[in-house]
Amino acid sequence: MPFKDIFELILKYGVWGIVLLLVIFILLLIRILIDEDKTDIWRGRFYKVLYKILKRREAEKKYVAYDIAGRLNLARRGMPFGKNLIPRSLKVEWIESSSGQTYIPKEGELVVKLDPAEEQEKNIIFLAHALIQKTALIGIRYILEKPIEDSVDLNLIKNLLREIGNPTILDWYMKYEYIPQIEQNEKLKDWNSKIVEIDERGLFTRLLLVELDRYGVKIAGTSKSSEMEEEIKDLIKFLYNIATKKYGENAPLNHITRNIKIGILLVGETSKILSSIDPYIKAFIYQLKKQVESIYVLSFSKEFLRENDEESEKAFEEMRGYLQERIKSEFKVEKDFELTYFCYDIKGRKRKAKCVHYIPDYSC
């Protein structure tokens, strides 16, 4: 709350305004104390200031242990896959000659061992990598070809580092880890180019990894087979084709194999949705008839485009909301999540987008 608003609140309500502010402050404080990641971030801010003033290694270590670890775990919590695997808190132990080994001392806590003699940028990469190894691609790493596994891990680490808001660490990672690994392996470079395109459209953590997480649950305890390898490869290719689809081009919007059954609705043409949402309702029914197990409704607004006009944008948002209401009232589906985010279209233009994941119920 800006200081001006606080001052006006006190002037308007007097003592009661001060009481209200104290209540809000206490509630915020309780919320921070309950959330271990946010508590760690506040501790980290203190040690960051201390390190900048004193330049002591001990303060820097505590900054990494609290602020960076808290931000990484908070960023990972913002990704809608493997939520039951994310630790309640991410802790650091400084032990010489260690390099990212982990252990779980108690439920909900992940401890990562880091070497105090190592470059701190590298320690932060170790920290991010350890978190990814424990919370992503669980149950399917034994199936994945190494280039695909590495590409997913490399881009997940990149996303986490971008979220913590420290460009220096991200630059270090891109220069010394990400690019060198990709450049030395042609297969990795090929799969990585597909993952990057999927990620640019916002479908990497919100769709691909959600489906891979569901896939891991479905095939748990099953021996590796060539069919499984191909299912995962084909899923990536399917999403890549959608991610690189040009305006007016057609691309398959459902992907059905033995273990993966998903359908996608793309809501992008303003003129189409403003005239009627019936085509999208029919498309939703079509996906249900295919007995898909996941339906993703992806919509891309015109907010940042030059051809944007305020009235059309407002009408677009209203019709998008009406579409969700119709889906909720007319179909037996569970809304797993709804995420609003920013991405870039195939022309490199910034877009505001929304991904809604529905899980159909065919029980009756």
Side-chain angles (χ1 to χ4, degrees), residues 17-60:
I18 297 172
V19 171
L20 179 60
L21 287 173
L22 285 173
V23 170
I24 292 172
F25 175 76
I26 291 167
L27 289 174
L28 287 173
L29 184 61
I30 291 171
R31 185 179 175 187
I32 290 171
L33 291 173
I34 291 173
D35 190 323
E36 291 192 42
D37 289 329
K38 290 181 179 177
T39 303
D40 285 347
I41 290 170
W42 278 101
R43 287 176 184 162
R45 286 175 180 172
F46 169 76
Y47 285 110
K48 184 178 182 181
V49 171
L50 204 62
Y51 171 66
K52 285 186 175 181
I53 295 171
L54 302 177
K55 300 296 181 184
R56 288 185 178 176
R57 182 72 169 174
E58 194 62 32
E60 185 187 25

Side-chain angles (χ1 to χ4, degrees), residues 93-155:
E93 280 188 4
W94 297 98
I95 300 173
E96 290 185 7
S97 301
S98 59
S99 55
Q101 297 98 329
T102 63
Y103 70 94
I104 300 172
K106 60 182 179 180
E107 186 179 354
E109 187 172 293
L110 176 64
V111 176
V112 183
K113 298 178 182 179
L114 299 177
D115 187 349
E118 189 62 82
E119 292 177 274
Q120 290 299 26
E121 289 87 354
K122 197 156 192 173
N123 274 328
I124 291 167
I125 307 306
F126 279 137
L127 194 57
H129 186 261
L131 183 59
I132 292 303
Q133 288 289 312
K134 292 293 183 180
T135 65
L137 302 179
I138 304 304
I140 63 169
R141 287 188 181 271
Y142 73 101
I143 297 170
L144 294 174
E145 286 188 359
K146 195 71 168 62
I148 296 176
E149 181 183 11
D150 288 346
S151 179
V152 170
D153 285 345
L154 285 167
N155 284 282

Side-chain angles (χ1 to χ4, degrees), residues 63-82:
Y63 161 62
V64 171
Y66 289 123
D67 185 86
I68 300 296
R71 289 182 187 278
L72 283 172
N73 209 37
L74 206 57
R76 176 62 186 86
R77 274 202 257 163
M79 298 175 179
F81 63 92

Side-chain angles (χ1 to χ4, degrees), residues 234-248:
D234 289 344
L235 173 63
I236 295 171
K237 292 173 184 176
F238 164 71
L239 294 176
Y240 173 75
N241 288 336
I242 291 174
T244 55
K245 183 180 85 70
K246 295 178 182 177
Y247 182 78

Side-chain angles (χ1 to χ4, degrees), residues 180-224:
Q181 286 190 50
I182 290 165
E183 290 299 324
Q184 67 185 7
N185 187 314
E186 286 301 317
K187 281 189 175 182
L188 174 57
K189 186 187 291 187
D190 179 55
W191 283 109
N192 189 71
S193 67
K194 292 178 172 59
I195 296 295
V196 167
E197 288 287 352
I198 293 168
D199 194 22
E200 283 286 302
R201 304 296 94 74
L203 306 181
F204 176 48
T205 60
R206 299 171 189 89
L207 202 161
L208 175 60
L209 287 168
V210 173
E211 286 305 310
L212 291 180
D213 186 51
R214 290 165 60 83
Y215 189 84
V217 173
K218 182 177 284 190
I219 57 91
T222 307
S223 298
K224 177 180 177 179

Side-chain angles (χ1 to χ4, degrees), residues 239-274:
L239 294 176
Y240 173 75
N241 288 336
I242 291 174
T244 55
K245 183 180 85 70
K246 295 178 182 177
Y247 182 78
E249 280 185 347
N250 291 321
L253 294 178
N254 56 29
H255 182 69
I256 299 173
T257 65
R258 185 199 298 267
N259 295 302
I260 302 173
K261 297 175 174 62
I262 68 172
I264 294 175
L265 270 66
L266 292 177
V267 182
E269 286 187 52
T270 305
S271 57
K272 185 176 179 181
I273 193 171
L274 291 186

